[in-house]
Structure formats: C-alpha cells, structure tokens
Amino acid sequence: QEADRLFDILRNMRADGCSIMIITHKLQEVLALSDRVAILRKGQYIDTVETAQANVQSLSEMMVGARVDLNIERPQPQNVKKRLVVKGLNCRNKDSVKTLDDIDLSVNTGEILGIAGISGSGQKEFLEAIAGLQEVESGSISLLDDGGKALELAGMDSISINKAGISLAFVPEDRIGMGLVGDMDMTDNMMLRSYREGKGIFADRKKPKALAESLINKLGIVTPGVSTPVGRLSGGNVQKVLVGREIAMHPDILLVAYPVRGLDINSSYQIYNLMNEQKKKGVAVICVIEDLDVLLEISDRILVLCGGRATGIVDGRTATKDEIGLLMTKGQKEESHV
C-alpha cells in the first residue's frame, strides 16, 4: 500500500513535467511505473525499450542474455515434523526497546516459512535469536529431534549451538561484517565454518578451497579467483558466496535474511531453487524476503510481524498481498493457528 502511494506521487510528478529515473530489481514495478526501460548487463548498456511493448520475460532475457525460466517451484511439504517450537519469545535491543513481543510459532521440517513485515519489525532479531546471536529476555526456543526430544536454544550463543552439534545455517542481513570477512578470500571465508575442526595448529585448506571453486561454478560467481578478497566482489556475488557456503553445510535448520538482495533475476531463481532443494531434503527453512510476490510464491506458510508482534500466520498458497499488507501494518496481536 505504501509503495502504491509512492508510485502515485511519482506519476503526479511526471504529470507536472519532472524527469524521473528509477532503479529497481522488481520488474513488476518497472512495468507498472515507467514509460521506457534501459537494460544494463554486467556494466554494459544493452538497449532501451518502450515499456508498453515489454513484459517480464522479455526484460529478463535482456538482463541475463539468455532465456530465463520464471517459475518458482513449490512442492508440497513431505514427512512434516515439528523442528522448532517458539513460545513467548521476547527480546530487547541495547537501548532496552522491545524488538520481539511474545512470539509463538512452530517451524516444520520440509517447509519454507516466510517472514513478512515492514523493515525493522523484528525479522532480524527473530532470526538472530534462533541463531544464538540475540539475547533472549524471556521465552523458549525448543529444537526437536526426529524422536520429539527437545533441546532448549534460548540462552545458548552461536558457539554453544555449534559445539552442541546442532546443524544450523544462518545467512544474515549484514553480509560483510556478520556473514563474511571482506579482507579474506573465498577459501578463508569457507574456513570460517570449519577451522575448529582442524587438528593441532594447522587448518585444512583443501576442502574449503574445493568448496569455493565448486560454488564459483555452480552459482556463476564472478571473481578473478578464490584468492580474491570477497570485499572486492559486487554485492550480488558476495551474496552468492554467503548463501552457497551456508547451504553447503547441510543444515537441519536454514535461516535466511534477504537471500536475493542485489542479485539479477537469473541468480535470484538459482537461490530459490537451492532453498527448495533444502526443503525437499527435510530442512526447516525460515526466510525473510521483502518482495511479497516472491514470498507468496515460494512460502508454505508466512509469519507476519508488525512492531515485533506476530499479527498473523497465513497459508502461502491462499494468502493475498492485500491480506499480508494489512497484517504488516496492524498494531494489535491476532489469535491465529500456529
């Protein structure tokens, strides 16, 4: 709704004679708002077309340079079991402002749980609380094994979670800083996940280097080589390094914040496919995506947050953007089936 109001303002500015240039990864916004579209690919100008004569498929092909399959697979969850049970979760930030307010939720194996909300509604804190990176004020985060035995994660930090043998992967919103080290190359960034497994004072570099080379080939990461510092790569390629590394850990739980931010449409669909591959393997996937069209297309269920409160949990196959949009701006907590 806020985006629609912004577009109405831009159209009024156009009517008043303003020249407007807009850059967006969302092709539906391009088609809805613009008069002409200029396409760039890897820093090169490709063409300018009249919007009225373009569609998502034609723009995608010019952006990528090849035909793109724009269908996101959403298989039905199989052998569903509860993997995480969150009850009464409350968190505060360093300024004692409440960021999560009494969250109740269950997360299942073999499903993608999407999280929707206006920026700053608690999405970041929710993922970090599960990953042991956010201090929990009160409440419970129970990890269930296949036999139903529970292990309490609330109060455990990320190192304790790793030492406990819990296979949890996390792609944070802050790619350089929290997820990767910009001054280190791809091999060393792969080693951040495995260096504790080394014996003595020497760490094994062969496997991390092989993983880095594999990700370059599989995800089409544009880099001079595995020895190039990741901080010199484009934002989209940094994102591929981080997502690829975390998925390669074969997790039981995969937490992903904005997995395709900065990626071209072809790379975005590669990431969606990787997430679905994890889902098929029985991984519990929790994903924050800002594009509601994609969220509705890939998620099995969607948790909506507003001001740190859970205002609804909806079925990804039947929910609408208007329904989610209203829940994203709703101030009062609503009773819903979890």
Side-chain angles (χ1 to χ4, degrees), residues 207-243:
K207 290 181 181 178
K209 183 178 180 181
L211 174 59
E213 293 171 342
S214 172
L215 293 179
I216 289 173
N217 293 327
K218 185 174 183 179
L219 299 180
I221 298 171
V222 179
T223 175
V226 295
S227 60
T228 300
V230 297
R232 295 183 186 176
L233 307 183
S234 69
N237 286 296
V238 169
Q239 186 76 339
K240 290 181 185 180
V241 172
L242 180 54
V243 174

PDB file of all heavy atoms in Angstrom, residues 207-243:
ATOM      1  N   LYS A 207      39.722 -28.687   1.536  1.00  0.00           N
ATOM      2  CA  LYS A 207      38.267 -28.798   1.408  1.00  0.00           C
ATOM      3  C   LYS A 207      37.609 -27.433   1.239  1.00  0.00           C
ATOM      4  O   LYS A 207      36.742 -27.272   0.371  1.00  0.00           O
ATOM      5  CB  LYS A 207      37.700 -29.544   2.614  1.00  0.00           C
ATOM      6  CG  LYS A 207      38.061 -31.022   2.649  1.00  0.00           C
ATOM      7  CD  LYS A 207      37.458 -31.710   3.860  1.00  0.00           C
ATOM      8  CE  LYS A 207      37.837 -33.185   3.895  1.00  0.00           C
ATOM      9  NZ  LYS A 207      37.286 -33.861   5.105  1.00  0.00           N
ATOM     10  N   PRO A 208      37.979 -26.424   2.029  1.00  0.00           N
ATOM     11  CA  PRO A 208      37.390 -25.096   1.807  1.00  0.00           C
ATOM     12  C   PRO A 208      37.680 -24.543   0.416  1.00  0.00           C
ATOM     13  O   PRO A 208      36.814 -23.916  -0.197  1.00  0.00           O
ATOM     14  CB  PRO A 208      38.045 -24.243   2.899  1.00  0.00           C
ATOM     15  CG  PRO A 208      38.385 -25.209   3.983  1.00  0.00           C
ATOM     16  CD  PRO A 208      38.792 -26.458   3.263  1.00  0.00           C
ATOM     17  N   LYS A 209      38.894 -24.773  -0.099  1.00  0.00           N
ATOM     18  CA  LYS A 209      39.221 -24.295  -1.438  1.00  0.00           C
ATOM     19  C   LYS A 209      38.380 -25.018  -2.488  1.00  0.00           C
ATOM     20  O   LYS A 209      37.866 -24.396  -3.433  1.00  0.00           O
ATOM     21  CB  LYS A 209      40.704 -24.506  -1.730  1.00  0.00           C
ATOM     22  CG  LYS A 209      41.121 -23.956  -3.093  1.00  0.00           C
ATOM     23  CD  LYS A 209      42.614 -24.148  -3.340  1.00  0.00           C
ATOM     24  CE  LYS A 209      43.012 -23.587  -4.705  1.00  0.00           C
ATOM     25  NZ  LYS A 209      44.453 -23.785  -4.980  1.00  0.00           N
ATOM     26  N   ALA A 210      38.205 -26.319  -2.317  1.00  0.00           N
ATOM     27  CA  ALA A 210      37.373 -27.084  -3.250  1.00  0.00           C
ATOM     28  C   ALA A 210      35.931 -26.605  -3.207  1.00  0.00           C
ATOM     29  O   ALA A 210      35.249 -26.513  -4.241  1.00  0.00           O
ATOM     30  CB  ALA A 210      37.456 -28.573  -2.918  1.00  0.00           C
ATOM     31  N   LEU A 211      35.437 -26.283  -1.991  1.00  0.00           N
ATOM     32  CA  LEU A 211      34.075 -25.767  -1.863  1.00  0.00           C
ATOM     33  C   LEU A 211      33.947 -24.419  -2.554  1.00  0.00           C
ATOM     34  O   LEU A 211      32.965 -24.167  -3.271  1.00  0.00           O
ATOM     35  CB  LEU A 211      33.709 -25.639  -0.381  1.00  0.00           C
ATOM     36  CG  LEU A 211      32.361 -24.983  -0.069  1.00  0.00           C
ATOM     37  CD1 LEU A 211      31.222 -25.753  -0.725  1.00  0.00           C
ATOM     38  CD2 LEU A 211      32.148 -24.899   1.446  1.00  0.00           C
ATOM     39  N   ALA A 212      34.935 -23.548  -2.384  1.00  0.00           N
ATOM     40  CA  ALA A 212      34.910 -22.237  -3.029  1.00  0.00           C
ATOM     41  C   ALA A 212      34.862 -22.373  -4.547  1.00  0.00           C
ATOM     42  O   ALA A 212      34.079 -21.701  -5.227  1.00  0.00           O
ATOM     43  CB  ALA A 212      36.129 -21.420  -2.600  1.00  0.00           C
ATOM     44  N   GLU A 213      35.693 -23.260  -5.096  1.00  0.00           N
ATOM     45  CA  GLU A 213      35.704 -23.473  -6.549  1.00  0.00           C
ATOM     46  C   GLU A 213      34.385 -24.049  -7.032  1.00  0.00           C
ATOM     47  O   GLU A 213      33.893 -23.691  -8.106  1.00  0.00           O
ATOM     48  CB  GLU A 213      36.873 -24.387  -6.921  1.00  0.00           C
ATOM     49  CG  GLU A 213      38.239 -23.734  -6.686  1.00  0.00           C
ATOM     50  CD  GLU A 213      39.387 -24.713  -6.849  1.00  0.00           C
ATOM     51  OE1 GLU A 213      39.134 -25.944  -6.799  1.00  0.00           O
ATOM     52  OE2 GLU A 213      40.540 -24.253  -7.016  1.00  0.00           O
ATOM     53  N   SER A 214      33.789 -24.939  -6.218  1.00  0.00           N
ATOM     54  CA  SER A 214      32.502 -25.529  -6.576  1.00  0.00           C
ATOM     55  C   SER A 214      31.400 -24.468  -6.622  1.00  0.00           C
ATOM     56  O   SER A 214      30.568 -24.467  -7.539  1.00  0.00           O
ATOM     57  CB  SER A 214      32.138 -26.625  -5.572  1.00  0.00           C
ATOM     58  OG  SER A 214      30.826 -27.091  -5.787  1.00  0.00           O
ATOM     59  N   LEU A 215      31.402 -23.553  -5.654  1.00  0.00           N
ATOM     60  CA  LEU A 215      30.384 -22.501  -5.623  1.00  0.00           C
ATOM     61  C   LEU A 215      30.543 -21.533  -6.790  1.00  0.00           C
ATOM     62  O   LEU A 215      29.547 -21.056  -7.359  1.00  0.00           O
ATOM     63  CB  LEU A 215      30.456 -21.736  -4.298  1.00  0.00           C
ATOM     64  CG  LEU A 215      30.084 -22.515  -3.034  1.00  0.00           C
ATOM     65  CD1 LEU A 215      30.216 -21.635  -1.812  1.00  0.00           C
ATOM     66  CD2 LEU A 215      28.665 -23.071  -3.144  1.00  0.00           C
ATOM     67  N   ILE A 216      31.787 -21.251  -7.177  1.00  0.00           N
ATOM     68  CA  ILE A 216      32.027 -20.379  -8.332  1.00  0.00           C
ATOM     69  C   ILE A 216      31.383 -20.973  -9.580  1.00  0.00           C
ATOM     70  O   ILE A 216      30.725 -20.272 -10.365  1.00  0.00           O
ATOM     71  CB  ILE A 216      33.541 -20.172  -8.539  1.00  0.00           C
ATOM     72  CG1 ILE A 216      34.116 -19.286  -7.419  1.00  0.00           C
ATOM     73  CG2 ILE A 216      33.816 -19.527  -9.901  1.00  0.00           C
ATOM     74  CD1 ILE A 216      35.623 -19.163  -7.450  1.00  0.00           C
ATOM     75  N   ASN A 217      31.550 -22.276  -9.767  1.00  0.00           N
ATOM     76  CA  ASN A 217      30.998 -22.938 -10.953  1.00  0.00           C
ATOM     77  C   ASN A 217      29.473 -23.096 -10.866  1.00  0.00           C
ATOM     78  O   ASN A 217      28.759 -22.862 -11.842  1.00  0.00           O
ATOM     79  CB  ASN A 217      31.650 -24.313 -11.124  1.00  0.00           C
ATOM     80  CG  ASN A 217      33.128 -24.212 -11.457  1.00  0.00           C
ATOM     81  OD1 ASN A 217      33.544 -23.269 -12.129  1.00  0.00           O
ATOM     82  ND2 ASN A 217      33.922 -25.161 -10.984  1.00  0.00           N
ATOM     83  N   LYS A 218      28.972 -23.480  -9.694  1.00  0.00           N
ATOM     84  CA  LYS A 218      27.547 -23.785  -9.556  1.00  0.00           C
ATOM     85  C   LYS A 218      26.681 -22.526  -9.581  1.00  0.00           C
ATOM     86  O   LYS A 218      25.610 -22.509 -10.200  1.00  0.00           O
ATOM     87  CB  LYS A 218      27.293 -24.553  -8.258  1.00  0.00           C
ATOM     88  CG  LYS A 218      25.848 -25.010  -8.082  1.00  0.00           C
ATOM     89  CD  LYS A 218      25.694 -25.890  -6.854  1.00  0.00           C
ATOM     90  CE  LYS A 218      24.253 -26.409  -6.739  1.00  0.00           C
ATOM     91  NZ  LYS A 218      24.083 -27.292  -5.557  1.00  0.00           N
ATOM     92  N   LEU A 219      27.154 -21.456  -8.936  1.00  0.00           N
ATOM     93  CA  LEU A 219      26.347 -20.244  -8.810  1.00  0.00           C
ATOM     94  C   LEU A 219      26.786 -19.136  -9.769  1.00  0.00           C
ATOM     95  O   LEU A 219      26.190 -18.059  -9.776  1.00  0.00           O
ATOM     96  CB  LEU A 219      26.409 -19.716  -7.367  1.00  0.00           C
ATOM     97  CG  LEU A 219      25.885 -20.664  -6.285  1.00  0.00           C
ATOM     98  CD1 LEU A 219      25.995 -20.024  -4.917  1.00  0.00           C
ATOM     99  CD2 LEU A 219      24.436 -21.066  -6.563  1.00  0.00           C
ATOM    100  N   GLY A 220      27.812 -19.396 -10.566  1.00  0.00           N
ATOM    101  CA  GLY A 220      28.263 -18.386 -11.518  1.00  0.00           C
ATOM    102  C   GLY A 220      28.810 -17.145 -10.840  1.00  0.00           C
ATOM    103  O   GLY A 220      28.562 -16.015 -11.266  1.00  0.00           O
ATOM    104  N   ILE A 221      29.584 -17.331  -9.767  1.00  0.00           N
ATOM    105  CA  ILE A 221      30.172 -16.210  -9.041  1.00  0.00           C
ATOM    106  C   ILE A 221      31.264 -15.573  -9.895  1.00  0.00           C
ATOM    107  O   ILE A 221      32.183 -16.253 -10.352  1.00  0.00           O
ATOM    108  CB  ILE A 221      30.747 -16.674  -7.682  1.00  0.00           C
ATOM    109  CG1 ILE A 221      29.627 -17.232  -6.796  1.00  0.00           C
ATOM    110  CG2 ILE A 221      31.466 -15.526  -6.982  1.00  0.00           C
ATOM    111  CD1 ILE A 221      30.122 -17.904  -5.537  1.00  0.00           C
ATOM    112  N   VAL A 222      31.153 -14.267 -10.125  1.00  0.00           N
ATOM    113  CA  VAL A 222      32.117 -13.547 -10.952  1.00  0.00           C
ATOM    114  C   VAL A 222      33.247 -13.049 -10.052  1.00  0.00           C
ATOM    115  O   VAL A 222      33.071 -12.141  -9.235  1.00  0.00           O
ATOM    116  CB  VAL A 222      31.462 -12.354 -11.676  1.00  0.00           C
ATOM    117  CG1 VAL A 222      32.496 -11.610 -12.520  1.00  0.00           C
ATOM    118  CG2 VAL A 222      30.313 -12.856 -12.560  1.00  0.00           C
ATOM    119  N   THR A 223      34.413 -13.660 -10.173  1.00  0.00           N
ATOM    120  CA  THR A 223      35.579 -13.307  -9.368  1.00  0.00           C
ATOM    121  C   THR A 223      36.838 -13.708 -10.129  1.00  0.00           C
ATOM    122  O   THR A 223      36.823 -14.687 -10.885  1.00  0.00           O
ATOM    123  CB  THR A 223      35.540 -14.036  -8.000  1.00  0.00           C
ATOM    124  OG1 THR A 223      36.747 -13.761  -7.290  1.00  0.00           O
ATOM    125  CG2 THR A 223      35.380 -15.535  -8.163  1.00  0.00           C
ATOM    126  N   PRO A 224      37.935 -12.959  -9.968  1.00  0.00           N
ATOM    127  CA  PRO A 224      39.185 -13.352 -10.621  1.00  0.00           C
ATOM    128  C   PRO A 224      39.691 -14.709 -10.151  1.00  0.00           C
ATOM    129  O   PRO A 224      40.451 -15.371 -10.858  1.00  0.00           O
ATOM    130  CB  PRO A 224      40.153 -12.233 -10.219  1.00  0.00           C
ATOM    131  CG  PRO A 224      39.279 -11.061  -9.912  1.00  0.00           C
ATOM    132  CD  PRO A 224      38.042 -11.639  -9.312  1.00  0.00           C
ATOM    133  N   GLY A 225      39.291 -15.137  -8.945  1.00  0.00           N
ATOM    134  CA  GLY A 225      39.732 -16.426  -8.438  1.00  0.00           C
ATOM    135  C   GLY A 225      39.438 -16.552  -6.955  1.00  0.00           C
ATOM    136  O   GLY A 225      38.986 -15.602  -6.302  1.00  0.00           O
ATOM    137  N   VAL A 226      39.706 -17.729  -6.393  1.00  0.00           N
ATOM    138  CA  VAL A 226      39.388 -17.982  -4.989  1.00  0.00           C
ATOM    139  C   VAL A 226      40.280 -17.169  -4.045  1.00  0.00           C
ATOM    140  O   VAL A 226      39.974 -17.047  -2.865  1.00  0.00           O
ATOM    141  CB  VAL A 226      39.511 -19.483  -4.649  1.00  0.00           C
ATOM    142  CG1 VAL A 226      38.475 -20.293  -5.397  1.00  0.00           C
ATOM    143  CG2 VAL A 226      40.916 -19.987  -4.952  1.00  0.00           C
ATOM    144  N   SER A 227      41.377 -16.618  -4.554  1.00  0.00           N
ATOM    145  CA  SER A 227      42.292 -15.851  -3.702  1.00  0.00           C
ATOM    146  C   SER A 227      41.940 -14.361  -3.658  1.00  0.00           C
ATOM    147  O   SER A 227      42.596 -13.587  -2.957  1.00  0.00           O
ATOM    148  CB  SER A 227      43.739 -16.018  -4.177  1.00  0.00           C
ATOM    149  OG  SER A 227      43.883 -15.560  -5.514  1.00  0.00           O
ATOM    150  N   THR A 228      40.900 -13.959  -4.376  1.00  0.00           N
ATOM    151  CA  THR A 228      40.489 -12.554  -4.370  1.00  0.00           C
ATOM    152  C   THR A 228      39.682 -12.245  -3.108  1.00  0.00           C
ATOM    153  O   THR A 228      38.749 -12.983  -2.777  1.00  0.00           O
ATOM    154  CB  THR A 228      39.622 -12.237  -5.606  1.00  0.00           C
ATOM    155  OG1 THR A 228      40.370 -12.502  -6.788  1.00  0.00           O
ATOM    156  CG2 THR A 228      39.180 -10.771  -5.600  1.00  0.00           C
ATOM    157  N   PRO A 229      39.981 -11.188  -2.369  1.00  0.00           N
ATOM    158  CA  PRO A 229      39.190 -10.830  -1.186  1.00  0.00           C
ATOM    159  C   PRO A 229      37.717 -10.630  -1.552  1.00  0.00           C
ATOM    160  O   PRO A 229      37.418  -9.970  -2.561  1.00  0.00           O
ATOM    161  CB  PRO A 229      39.826  -9.518  -0.706  1.00  0.00           C
ATOM    162  CG  PRO A 229      41.227  -9.578  -1.221  1.00  0.00           C
ATOM    163  CD  PRO A 229      41.141 -10.284  -2.546  1.00  0.00           C
ATOM    164  N   VAL A 230      36.816 -11.190  -0.775  1.00  0.00           N
ATOM    165  CA  VAL A 230      35.396 -11.106  -1.121  1.00  0.00           C
ATOM    166  C   VAL A 230      34.893  -9.668  -1.058  1.00  0.00           C
ATOM    167  O   VAL A 230      33.900  -9.317  -1.709  1.00  0.00           O
ATOM    168  CB  VAL A 230      34.538 -12.016  -0.219  1.00  0.00           C
ATOM    169  CG1 VAL A 230      34.901 -13.467  -0.407  1.00  0.00           C
ATOM    170  CG2 VAL A 230      34.653 -11.607   1.241  1.00  0.00           C
ATOM    171  N   GLY A 231      35.572  -8.799  -0.299  1.00  0.00           N
ATOM    172  CA  GLY A 231      35.166  -7.406  -0.225  1.00  0.00           C
ATOM    173  C   GLY A 231      35.308  -6.670  -1.544  1.00  0.00           C
ATOM    174  O   GLY A 231      34.725  -5.601  -1.718  1.00  0.00           O
ATOM    175  N   ARG A 232      36.073  -7.246  -2.483  1.00  0.00           N
ATOM    176  CA  ARG A 232      36.235  -6.611  -3.799  1.00  0.00           C
ATOM    177  C   ARG A 232      35.170  -7.064  -4.794  1.00  0.00           C
ATOM    178  O   ARG A 232      35.104  -6.553  -5.905  1.00  0.00           O
ATOM    179  CB  ARG A 232      37.622  -6.938  -4.361  1.00  0.00           C
ATOM    180  CG  ARG A 232      38.773  -6.364  -3.547  1.00  0.00           C
ATOM    181  CD  ARG A 232      40.102  -6.660  -4.212  1.00  0.00           C
ATOM    182  NE  ARG A 232      41.237  -6.237  -3.388  1.00  0.00           N
ATOM    183  CZ  ARG A 232      42.498  -6.446  -3.697  1.00  0.00           C
ATOM    184  NH1 ARG A 232      42.783  -7.090  -4.828  1.00  0.00           N
ATOM    185  NH2 ARG A 232      43.466  -6.034  -2.899  1.00  0.00           N
ATOM    186  N   LEU A 233      34.363  -8.040  -4.405  1.00  0.00           N
ATOM    187  CA  LEU A 233      33.319  -8.531  -5.303  1.00  0.00           C
ATOM    188  C   LEU A 233      32.090  -7.636  -5.230  1.00  0.00           C
ATOM    189  O   LEU A 233      31.896  -6.898  -4.262  1.00  0.00           O
ATOM    190  CB  LEU A 233      32.935  -9.970  -4.930  1.00  0.00           C
ATOM    191  CG  LEU A 233      34.066 -11.002  -4.837  1.00  0.00           C
ATOM    192  CD1 LEU A 233      33.485 -12.384  -4.537  1.00  0.00           C
ATOM    193  CD2 LEU A 233      34.883 -11.030  -6.120  1.00  0.00           C
ATOM    194  N   SER A 234      31.237  -7.712  -6.253  1.00  0.00           N
ATOM    195  CA  SER A 234      29.988  -6.956  -6.232  1.00  0.00           C
ATOM    196  C   SER A 234      29.072  -7.512  -5.148  1.00  0.00           C
ATOM    197  O   SER A 234      29.242  -8.647  -4.678  1.00  0.00           O
ATOM    198  CB  SER A 234      29.291  -7.047  -7.592  1.00  0.00           C
ATOM    199  OG  SER A 234      28.815  -8.364  -7.817  1.00  0.00           O
ATOM    200  N   GLY A 235      28.073  -6.727  -4.749  1.00  0.00           N
ATOM    201  CA  GLY A 235      27.151  -7.156  -3.703  1.00  0.00           C
ATOM    202  C   GLY A 235      26.446  -8.455  -4.032  1.00  0.00           C
ATOM    203  O   GLY A 235      26.259  -9.320  -3.168  1.00  0.00           O
ATOM    204  N   GLY A 236      26.063  -8.615  -5.295  1.00  0.00           N
ATOM    205  CA  GLY A 236      25.378  -9.837  -5.696  1.00  0.00           C
ATOM    206  C   GLY A 236      26.269 -11.060  -5.582  1.00  0.00           C
ATOM    207  O   GLY A 236      25.820 -12.125  -5.132  1.00  0.00           O
ATOM    208  N   ASN A 237      27.530 -10.926  -5.966  1.00  0.00           N
ATOM    209  CA  ASN A 237      28.457 -12.053  -5.876  1.00  0.00           C
ATOM    210  C   ASN A 237      28.816 -12.375  -4.427  1.00  0.00           C
ATOM    211  O   ASN A 237      28.992 -13.544  -4.063  1.00  0.00           O
ATOM    212  CB  ASN A 237      29.716 -11.768  -6.693  1.00  0.00           C
ATOM    213  CG  ASN A 237      29.484 -11.881  -8.184  1.00  0.00           C
ATOM    214  OD1 ASN A 237      29.174 -12.947  -8.692  1.00  0.00           O
ATOM    215  ND2 ASN A 237      29.597 -10.774  -8.897  1.00  0.00           N
ATOM    216  N   VAL A 238      28.897 -11.352  -3.584  1.00  0.00           N
ATOM    217  CA  VAL A 238      29.103 -11.588  -2.155  1.00  0.00           C
ATOM    218  C   VAL A 238      27.942 -12.394  -1.585  1.00  0.00           C
ATOM    219  O   VAL A 238      28.128 -13.322  -0.792  1.00  0.00           O
ATOM    220  CB  VAL A 238      29.249 -10.245  -1.405  1.00  0.00           C
ATOM    221  CG1 VAL A 238      29.196 -10.458   0.106  1.00  0.00           C
ATOM    222  CG2 VAL A 238      30.550  -9.555  -1.786  1.00  0.00           C
ATOM    223  N   GLN A 239      26.733 -12.037  -2.021  1.00  0.00           N
ATOM    224  CA  GLN A 239      25.555 -12.764  -1.545  1.00  0.00           C
ATOM    225  C   GLN A 239      25.599 -14.224  -1.962  1.00  0.00           C
ATOM    226  O   GLN A 239      25.256 -15.115  -1.178  1.00  0.00           O
ATOM    227  CB  GLN A 239      24.282 -12.099  -2.099  1.00  0.00           C
ATOM    228  CG  GLN A 239      22.984 -12.679  -1.571  1.00  0.00           C
ATOM    229  CD  GLN A 239      22.683 -12.234  -0.152  1.00  0.00           C
ATOM    230  OE1 GLN A 239      23.570 -11.821   0.588  1.00  0.00           O
ATOM    231  NE2 GLN A 239      21.442 -12.341   0.240  1.00  0.00           N
ATOM    232  N   LYS A 240      26.043 -14.498  -3.171  1.00  0.00           N
ATOM    233  CA  LYS A 240      26.155 -15.887  -3.640  1.00  0.00           C
ATOM    234  C   LYS A 240      27.162 -16.667  -2.803  1.00  0.00           C
ATOM    235  O   LYS A 240      26.935 -17.835  -2.466  1.00  0.00           O
ATOM    236  CB  LYS A 240      26.581 -15.914  -5.115  1.00  0.00           C
ATOM    237  CG  LYS A 240      25.530 -15.443  -6.098  1.00  0.00           C
ATOM    238  CD  LYS A 240      26.085 -15.546  -7.513  1.00  0.00           C
ATOM    239  CE  LYS A 240      25.140 -14.979  -8.538  1.00  0.00           C
ATOM    240  NZ  LYS A 240      25.682 -15.074  -9.906  1.00  0.00           N
ATOM    241  N   VAL A 241      28.284 -16.028  -2.461  1.00  0.00           N
ATOM    242  CA  VAL A 241      29.301 -16.691  -1.637  1.00  0.00           C
ATOM    243  C   VAL A 241      28.709 -17.088  -0.292  1.00  0.00           C
ATOM    244  O   VAL A 241      28.876 -18.222   0.182  1.00  0.00           O
ATOM    245  CB  VAL A 241      30.520 -15.773  -1.432  1.00  0.00           C
ATOM    246  CG1 VAL A 241      31.493 -16.384  -0.427  1.00  0.00           C
ATOM    247  CG2 VAL A 241      31.231 -15.526  -2.759  1.00  0.00           C
ATOM    248  N   LEU A 242      27.985 -16.165   0.328  1.00  0.00           N
ATOM    249  CA  LEU A 242      27.445 -16.403   1.668  1.00  0.00           C
ATOM    250  C   LEU A 242      26.346 -17.461   1.653  1.00  0.00           C
ATOM    251  O   LEU A 242      26.371 -18.408   2.449  1.00  0.00           O
ATOM    252  CB  LEU A 242      26.918 -15.091   2.240  1.00  0.00           C
ATOM    253  CG  LEU A 242      26.307 -15.135   3.636  1.00  0.00           C
ATOM    254  CD1 LEU A 242      27.266 -15.744   4.637  1.00  0.00           C
ATOM    255  CD2 LEU A 242      25.901 -13.729   4.068  1.00  0.00           C
ATOM    256  N   VAL A 243      25.387 -17.317   0.740  1.00  0.00           N
ATOM    257  CA  VAL A 243      24.283 -18.289   0.672  1.00  0.00           C
ATOM    258  C   VAL A 243      24.819 -19.668   0.319  1.00  0.00           C
ATOM    259  O   VAL A 243      24.432 -20.680   0.919  1.00  0.00           O
ATOM    260  CB  VAL A 243      23.223 -17.831  -0.355  1.00  0.00           C
ATOM    261  CG1 VAL A 243      22.159 -18.911  -0.544  1.00  0.00           C
ATOM    262  CG2 VAL A 243      22.558 -16.530   0.097  1.00  0.00           C
TER     263      VAL A 243
END
